[in-house]
Amino acid sequence: MSGDVTAGVRRQIEIYDTTLRDGSQLEGISLTVDDKLRVAEQLDWLGVHYIEGGWPGANPKDDEFFRRARTELPLDTSTLVAFGSTRRKLGKVDSDETLKHLVEAGTGTVCIVGKSWDYHVLEALETTLDEGEAMVGDSIEFLRGNGLEVMFDAEHFFDGYKRNPEFALRVLEAAATKGATTLVLCDTNGGALPHEVEAAVADVVSHFKDDVKVGVHLHDDAGCGVANALAGVRGGATQVQGTINGYGERTGNCNLTTIIPNLALKMGCRTIPDDRLERLTPVSHHIAELVNMPLNPQQPYVGSSAFAHKAGLHVSAIARRPDAYEHVKPDAVGNGTRFVVSELAGKSTLQLKAKELGIEMDGPALNEVVDTLKRLEHEGYHFEAADGSLELLMRRAAGWEHDFFRVESFRVITDEIGSRSFTTEATIKVHVGGDRIVTTAEGNGPVNALDKALRAAIGSRYPALDHVHLTDYKVRVLDTAKGTAAVTRVLIDSTDGERSWSTIGVSDNIIEASWQALSDSIVYGLLHNTATA
Ligand SMILES: [Zn+2]
């Protein structure tokens, strides 16, 4: 079987990304045309073979995307694809709006979706099986006639193949005969299981032999999106369609950030160029940033917890023999081993943490950090969740002090104007590079106002700050028995588009707790930005 990967020959699997079309169906994602262009640049940098840009004609945004892509999106590695559907029922191809838009999109390659499940043809389209087949064949013939490479997404293929394999294959044959280069078998409802996918793909591959390429397009409704993609490849598919971070409608599409390393590192396949595998983690984080969704820390390979060890006793063993505790080398996918430090951590864990961060620390300094950690965690800090603040604390213990800015004082005022309308204003006095700067800013709350005031004061000195912003702000009351007098813990997540970090503040004053977390966040961002002036 062609799924055998032990033969020593590396099979090339095409990676087809549909983040910009199917992925953007996810609730809560709303991409501007600029966002879409930025996402496409990331995908090209990663080196996927195909980028499905959208559905021209379906909305003005996708029209504008394809128009601007011609001049504003120089692609080095990827081929841009326009997506659409077959012609209308009983319609003519040369007057069909959808097909016209596909031709006008100006991409050399298009992908059209058509029905391969008899039930859908009869019940959803309410037409005959002959007409259902003709809609696919005519449309592909027309697009080929316009000089385009055409891929065919066989919608609901796996469900259709189960119920009426004869019709499902008939539709694929029509597509292949009329010149489709790739038959993409879709699990549109996402309910298939790996053994079913592998068997159905193998049937199709042996039916068509080498006449046409076979791909798979999978959804994660049964929690098997990634497994189904691997099963499809084992069955002989040579193209996988999915999305970055598994974005997509309902439970999402199959996740390319997991599929790519599984194929490349574990199944001996070639996917994106080998030397770009290490771009997976930064691209995953950058795209999460562009779509404005916090990345799941537990996401395989690329999540911030994917190689995080909280091991206590085992920590020195992990440091000595990481391959005994990690399923792949984290740097193969651009991630890194992380030792999670909490009050339970002993000196050896901190020593490793210091090594990981490249901080030189002697015995007394390490002891000081151990003591400080224990004291602060007792007060309510939780450094496990605040890697950014932990790093700053360790650097300070090693004798470092930042000189980006020095705060003389700040003040936050919240006024109620009329009934239920509030304004918040922050004033900050800062020394930066020998100057004393006083700025005032308004915000929709105290943290926002402080953040703006600090940026207004130091932003022109540090243009890199433009890229740093807060992605999450969490407040937790630690001693609920005391009511409003209780201690609050503030956690802030930040990103510069490449890396993400968390910082912490604890105080019985929520503004002070927020300020600690906020200033740590800014200092961390400046410390790690080499572009800082
Ligand atoms: Zn889909």
Side-chain angles (χ1 to χ4, degrees), residues 21-22 188 217-219 253:
R21 203 269 306 171
D22 229 5
T188 312
H217 174 114
L218 305 154
H219 284 258
N253 286 57

Side-chain angles (χ1 to χ4, degrees), residues 215-227:
V216 283
H217 174 114
L218 305 154
H219 284 258
D220 198 36
D221 296 75
C224 293
V226 169

Side-chain angles (χ1 to χ4, degrees), residues 158-474:
F158 293 97
D159 291 317
Y161 187 71
K162 247 188 234 173
R163 276 113 179 146
N164 186 344
E166 191 251 338
F167 178 71
L169 284 175
R170 209 173 113 198
V171 171
L172 294 185
E173 269 166 16
T177 313
K178 299 295 185 183
T181 54
T182 311
L183 305 175
V184 184
L185 314 181
C186 303
D187 184 24
T188 312
N189 291 348
L193 297 176
H195 62 280
E196 299 165 338
V197 170
E198 182 171 348
V201 171
D203 286 354
V204 172
V205 169
S206 71
H207 186 85
F208 286 94
K209 305 276 182 316
D210 291 332
D211 295 347
V212 63
K213 287 191 265 188
V214 173
V216 283
H217 174 114
L218 305 154
H219 284 258
D220 198 36
D221 296 75
C224 293
V226 169
N228 285 346
L230 306 184
V233 168
R234 281 181 54 84
T238 54
Q239 181 185 99
V240 173
Q241 298 195 346
T243 60
I244 296 296
N245 301 330
Y247 299 135
E249 210 178 348
R250 308 185 305 274
T251 58
N253 286 57
C254 61
N255 187 346
L256 290 177
T257 65
T258 313
I259 293 165
I260 291 170
N262 279 336
L263 289 175
L265 300 174
K266 303 189 177 205
M267 288 174 68
C269 299
R270 278 195 295 150
T271 56
I272 56 175
D274 288 340
D275 58 356
R276 297 198 190 182
L277 206 54
E278 64 189 33
R279 298 183 182 178
L280 261 183
T281 299
V283 167
S284 155
H285 286 248
H286 195 129
I287 290 180
E289 177 60 21
L290 288 168
V291 307
N292 201 17
M293 306 267 293
L295 190 75
N296 173 9
Q298 293 191 301
Q299 193 165 307
Y301 292 102
V302 298
S304 57
S305 300
F307 301 97
H309 302 282
K310 181 183 175 182
L313 287 177
H314 302 298
V315 147
S316 57
I318 295 170
R320 222 170 43 246
R321 291 275 179 267
D323 59 335
Y325 297 87
E326 289 175 336
H327 70 119
V328 295
K329 283 201 178 79
D331 49 2
V333 291
N335 210 337
T337 298
R338 218 156 54 78
F339 292 104
V340 178
V341 172
S342 74
E343 62 186 326
L344 301 172
K347 206 168 152 184
S348 64
T349 309
L350 280 166
Q351 206 156 10
L352 285 165
K353 188 77 193 175
K355 207 175 132 202
E356 176 196 322
L357 298 170
I359 306 173
E360 298 261 353
M361 286 186 107
D362 55 12
L366 277 170
N367 286 334
E368 189 197 316
V369 176
V370 172
D371 292 345
T372 310
L373 269 179
K374 286 208 159 76
R375 181 172 52 78
L376 291 175
E377 296 240 340
H378 182 71
E379 286 172 19
Y381 286 81
H382 186 58
F383 284 96
E384 228 178 277
D387 52 349
S389 290
L390 175 71
E391 179 178 333
L392 296 179
L393 181 139
M394 292 179 72
R395 288 191 187 279
R396 283 174 189 132
W400 172 84
E401 202 44 68
H402 83 84
D403 56 0
F404 300 120
F405 58 89
R406 184 171 64 78
V407 176
E408 181 184 308
S409 67
F410 67 81
R411 184 172 63 188
V412 182
I413 307 164
T414 297
D415 288 317
E416 186 179 356
I417 331 167
S419 69
R420 321 198 62 147
S421 170
F422 292 86
T423 59
T424 306
E425 188 182 294
T427 299
I428 193 163
K429 299 175 185 172
V430 192
H431 295 262
V432 54
D435 298 329
R436 180 172 181 268
I437 300 169
V438 180
T439 52
T440 297
E442 286 181 324
N444 56 20
V447 181
N448 183 240
L450 267 174
D451 187 34
K452 283 184 170 171
L454 179 59
R455 284 162 187 273
I458 66 172
S460 61
R461 193 79 52 140
Y462 301 111
L465 269 187
D466 276 356
H467 304 288
V468 175
H469 62 266
L470 315 188
T471 53
D472 200 8
Y473 171 78
K474 290 188 280 275

Side-chain angles (χ1 to χ4, degrees), residues 51-70:
I51 299 172
E52 193 172 80
W55 186 324
N59 60 62
K61 211 190 268 183
D62 283 8
D63 290 342
E64 189 190 331
F65 171 81
F66 283 105
R67 198 164 55 242
R68 287 177 56 187
R70 278 180 227 169

